[in-house]
């Protein structure tokens, strides 16, 4: 029986198990479970990898976004421009600090924020833009930074799905004022639980995030501001230290698989493939195809019947989520995001996906689409 999951964390673990176990056991025996030396060491190594001044780790990508907004003093009465075609964490962070998300629709081809539509949404209250590098594909950062400079806005990059991706040769997360990363297990650099970090070359932002993540006090038991308990566990930092040196190699493996999919699925009727990038290097957190809206669920079920997992990221765009009903968007407000939410399907892609499995995915999709388009 074929079983090809959309994502598999265990094969990667097995490939580095000895190294992981040795280092994690040392942490457990050493007893410094909170803010042990590995936390700082990981921050230094990750900053070097990204080629930026400062990395401050925290408990999740969601907290990284929250802390970045807090560090920039964005809150009640402020507006933050972002995409509706992302994971809820992006707008959750905006809402939690008391600010208002303002949605700008995405491009059909790139799935990312349509930079041509941003300016028309800027008001006196706009304080920041949060571009999301969805599925590992960088947004047009040149256009975004130009707009941000013109209107004096901050830029917080949501890099949760794009660790290691570059825009015009620069690591994402180092182009705006702050980059927010997630180490959730399915991300390109994943730990064995929750984890996150912010990257910045602005020392003031770094300093604020550093104390806001540990209860808002620069000196222990002296608290100037309401903070969070959002430290990265020493065990997770240790896992990340072992994994970071492999990141480029794993991202290259993802790119190679994406190339195979792009070549072998090119001529299939009924499938629109993700676009190749030009100024950017995508790290393919997801390989997301588009199929005709009414057929998406049938195709997903047919794949499942053949033992192939696939995912829908995301079935409801954020402007239509119940939690954001108060923002008064309706169906039709952001048509491209709505269309994508009915059309997208992410097929299996992770570094350890074997070429035999890739072939099965390709052949199965060919078969399913041929059946659909010949029977009508
Ligand atoms: C995963 C993700 C987050 C949140 O990261 P967590 O570590 O799960 O909190 C934020 N934004 C996007 C786009 C994500 O995919």
């Amino acid at each position: 029986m074929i079983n090809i999951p959309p994502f598999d964390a265990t094969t990667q673990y097995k490939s580095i198990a000895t190294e992981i176990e040795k280092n994690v056991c040392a942490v457990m025996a050493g007893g410094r479970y909170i803010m042990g030396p590995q936390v700082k060491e990981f921050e230094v190594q990750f900053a070097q990898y990204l080629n930026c001044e400062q990395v401050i780790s925290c408990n999740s990508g969601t907290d990284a976004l929250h802390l970045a907004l807090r560090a920039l003093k964005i809150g009640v009465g402020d507006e933050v421009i972002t995409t509706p075609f992302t994971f809820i964490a992006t707008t959750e962070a905006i809402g939690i600090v008391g600010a208002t998300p303002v949605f700008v629709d995405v491009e059909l081809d790139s799935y990312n924020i349509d930079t041509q539509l941003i300016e028309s949404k800027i008001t006196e209250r706009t304080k920041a833009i949060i571009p999301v590098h969805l599925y590992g594909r960088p947004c047009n950062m040149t256009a975004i930074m130009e707009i941000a400079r013109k209107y004096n806005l901050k830029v917080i990059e949501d890099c949760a799905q794009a660790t290691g991706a570059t825009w015009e040769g620069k690591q994402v997360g180092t182009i705006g004022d702050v980059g927010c990363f997630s180490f959730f297990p399915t991300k390109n650099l994943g730990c064995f639980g929750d984890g996150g970090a912010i990257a910045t070359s602005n020392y003031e932002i770094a300093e604020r995030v550093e104390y806001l993540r540990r209860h808002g006090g620069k000196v222990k038991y002296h608290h100037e501001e309401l903070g969070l308990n959002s430290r990265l566990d020493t065990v997770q930092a240790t896992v990340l230290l072992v994994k970071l040196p492999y990141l480029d190699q794993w991202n290259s493996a993802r790119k190679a698989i994406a190339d195979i999919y792009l070549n072998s699925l090119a001529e299939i009727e009924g499938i629109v493939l993700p676009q190749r990038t030009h100024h950017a290097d995508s790290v393919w957190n997801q390989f997301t195809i588009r199929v005709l809206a009414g057929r998406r669920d049938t195709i997903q079920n047919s794949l499942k019947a053949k033992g192939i997992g696939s995912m829908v990221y995301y079935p409801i765009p954020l402007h239509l989520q119940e939690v954001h009903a108060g923002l008064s968007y309706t169906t039709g407000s952001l048509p491209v995001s709505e269309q994508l939410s009915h059309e997208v399907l992410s097929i299996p892609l992770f570094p350890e996906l074997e070429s035999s499995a890739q072939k099965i995915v390709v052949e199965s999709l060919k078969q399913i689409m041929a059946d659909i388009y010949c029977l009508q």
Side-chain angles (χ1 to χ4, degrees):
M1 183 60 196
I2 290 169
N3 176 26
I4 303 173
F7 172 74
D8 166 36
T10 58
T11 312
Q12 182 170 95
Y13 170 61
K14 278 179 214 139
S15 73
I16 50 170
T18 318
E19 235 180 315
I20 294 270
E21 284 162 22
K22 185 182 97 201
N23 287 281
V24 169
C25 285
V27 173
M28 292 192 287
R32 296 190 58 191
Y33 307 139
I34 300 291
M35 296 306 264
Q38 290 84 352
V39 175
K40 182 79 208 163
E41 181 58 24
F42 170 68
E43 291 172 346
V44 169
Q45 298 280 334
F46 193 43
Q48 254 170 32
Y49 174 84
L50 294 174
N51 195 20
C52 76
E53 296 291 325
Q54 298 276 309
V55 163
I56 307 292
S57 59
C58 61
N59 192 251
S60 68
T62 309
D63 279 2
L65 290 160
H66 179 177
L67 287 161
L69 288 159
R70 286 288 310 279
L72 292 168
K73 303 193 170 138
I74 291 168
V76 178
D78 298 334
E79 293 176 355
V80 179
I81 288 176
T82 193
T83 160
F85 197 59
T86 173
F87 180 55
I88 188 68
T90 315
T91 52
E92 199 171 25
I94 299 169
I96 287 288
V97 301
T100 305
V102 172
F103 292 116
V104 167
D105 212 352
V106 294
E107 297 172 323
L108 200 55
D109 290 340
S110 72
Y111 312 114
N112 281 332
I113 193 163
D114 187 338
T115 55
Q116 310 233 25
L117 303 177
I118 293 177
E119 276 192 88
S120 68
K121 295 292 171 68
I122 294 171
T123 72
E124 285 114 74
R125 296 177 168 217
T126 311
K127 290 285 149 56
I129 306 172
I130 305 188
V132 179
H133 307 297
L134 199 72
Y135 308 144
R137 180 196 179 96
C139 296
N140 182 344
M141 288 309 294
T142 308
I144 290 166
M145 294 313 292
E146 233 172 72
I147 296 166
R149 259 180 239 114
K150 183 167 164 195
Y151 294 92
N152 196 23
L153 305 176
K154 301 292 182 194
V155 174
I156 301 169
E157 294 176 70
D158 183 339
C159 308
Q161 299 183 10
T163 310
T166 56
W167 171 259
E168 292 184 341
K170 283 188 95 173
Q171 287 281 330
V172 298
T174 67
I175 303 163
D177 297 272
V178 200
C180 296
F181 293 86
S182 166
F183 307 123
F184 185 81
T186 61
K187 313 293 173 148
N188 294 53
L189 178 63
C191 61
F192 297 165
D194 280 306
I198 67 103
T200 184
S201 288
N202 178 318
Y203 279 83
E204 200 188 320
I205 295 172
E207 188 195 20
R208 280 181 57 70
V209 170
E210 201 288 315
Y211 69 81
L212 288 170
R213 75 172 167 180
R214 45 178 183 89
H215 301 294
K218 290 178 194 167
V219 177
K220 208 172 189 184
Y221 305 125
H222 294 67
H223 307 278
E224 294 93 50
E225 284 183 69
L226 291 178
L228 277 75
N229 175 0
S230 187
R231 298 163 298 223
L232 182 68
D233 293 339
T234 312
V235 164
Q236 302 302 350
T238 304
V239 168
L240 291 165
L241 271 170
V242 172
K243 285 181 135 198
L244 182 60
Y246 296 98
L247 177 60
D248 283 343
Q249 164 188 331
W250 288 331
N251 280 341
S252 298
R254 286 176 182 273
K255 282 174 222 169
I257 299 169
D259 266 334
I260 285 172
Y261 281 161
L262 286 170
N263 291 330
S264 20
L265 298 171
E267 303 297 324
I268 302 180
E269 187 174 1
I271 292 181
V272 182
L273 294 175
Q275 251 192 3
R276 291 177 192 270
T277 49
H278 298 293
H279 302 269
D281 204 7
S282 169
V283 288
W284 298 100
N285 182 254
Q286 301 296 331
F287 190 92
T288 305
I289 61 172
R290 283 165 50 211
V291 294
L292 213 58
R295 304 213 197 278
R296 199 249 322 267
D297 297 351
T298 313
I299 294 166
Q300 184 170 35
N301 287 331
S302 305
L303 281 168
K304 193 176 167 196
K306 290 178 184 288
I308 299 167
S310 61
M311 301 293 285
V312 173
Y313 301 116
Y314 295 93
I316 305 173
L318 298 190
H319 66 290
L320 301 179
Q321 294 283 350
E322 197 178 333
V323 64
H324 290 315
L327 299 175
S328 306
Y329 291 86
T330 54
T331 302
S333 302
L334 299 160
V336 181
S337 300
E338 291 165 31
Q339 181 184 343
L340 286 172
S341 70
H342 293 115
E343 294 184 348
V344 289
L345 190 64
S346 300
I347 61 175
L349 193 160
F350 48 89
E352 298 76 20
L353 186 71
E354 289 180 5
S355 62
S356 56
Q358 297 162 31
K359 286 204 184 81
I360 294 170
V361 172
V362 168
E363 290 313 315
S364 304
L365 259 174
K366 274 188 185 161
Q367 180 82 60
I368 291 165
M369 299 312 287
D371 287 350
I372 289 178
Y373 282 87
C374 294
L375 286 175
Q376 54 183 341

